[in-house]
Amino acid sequence: MAKSESVKLIANNKKARHDYFIEEVYEAGISLHGTEVKSLRLGQCSIKEAFIGIQDGEVFIHKMHINPYEKGNIFNKDPLRVKKLLLHKYEINKLLGKIKEAGYTVVPLRVYLKGSLVKVEIGLAKGKKLYDKRQDIAKKDQEREARRDFKIRNLD
């Protein structure tokens, strides 16, 4: 019987879902050093400026900021160092094929702990135009109004 693994969110990239249409989502492992894992367990991470690059058949995350662990002294690594993401070869090839098409990119969506492992959720994305963003904002406003009206009607 499989035990359900707990998922603890560390960092979320809300801006990615605002700026891009997310078409496919992948779960990737990440290659880290000991003090980086300890810092992540404390929630000391930011992926707001982070982006994904593919070089020589390997996937890397750039500009992912992990605060240095307070008690790590000389074992701390550079907070902005490039970190390798762990994906299957067929997933990397699929991403490469899509990226070569016009308008596609790969963005980090969130970082979380799954059991005892640190995972990064990445998404294959296509950029939104300004009018798409405006439509999304209008849609959210309509949903908020509908929920508010529904709540008021049910209280009467």
Side-chain angles (χ1 to χ4, degrees), residues 13 21 50 57 60 64 71 87 90 92 101 103 113 139 142 146 149 154:
N13 191 356
F21 291 114
F60 297 95
M64 175 180 167
K71 300 169 185 146
L87 286 166
Y90 69 90
I92 296 171
E101 291 180 26
L113 285 168
K139 193 168 157 187
Q142 287 175 343
D149 291 344
N154 284 342

Side-chain angles (χ1 to χ4, degrees), residues 68-124:
Y69 185 58
E70 291 176 8
K71 300 169 185 146
N73 57 39
I74 62 168
F75 299 109
N76 282 333
K77 300 288 181 184
D78 177 31
L80 291 174
R81 78 176 182 85
V82 178
K83 295 152 195 77
K84 184 177 177 182
L85 295 181
L86 309 171
L87 286 166
H88 291 282
K89 197 63 156 177
Y90 69 90
E91 291 175 325
I92 296 171
N93 290 336
K94 190 173 181 182
L95 286 173
L96 267 173
K98 286 287 193 174
I99 288 174
K100 289 181 181 172
E101 291 180 26
Y104 282 99
T105 187
V106 182
V107 293
L109 301 175
R110 63 187 186 130
V111 179
Y112 56 94
L113 285 168
K114 187 174 183 181
S116 62
L117 303 174
V118 178
K119 299 288 185 177
V120 178
E121 187 176 87
I122 60 175
L124 181 66

Side-chain angles (χ1 to χ4, degrees), residues 8-10 35-45 67-71 113:
K8 178 189 171 203
L9 184 66
I10 298 170
T35 56
E36 290 176 324
V37 176
K38 290 180 180 186
S39 185
L40 283 173
R41 288 189 186 282
L42 296 174
Q44 305 289 315
C45 177
N67 286 350
Y69 185 58
E70 291 176 8
K71 300 169 185 146
L113 285 168

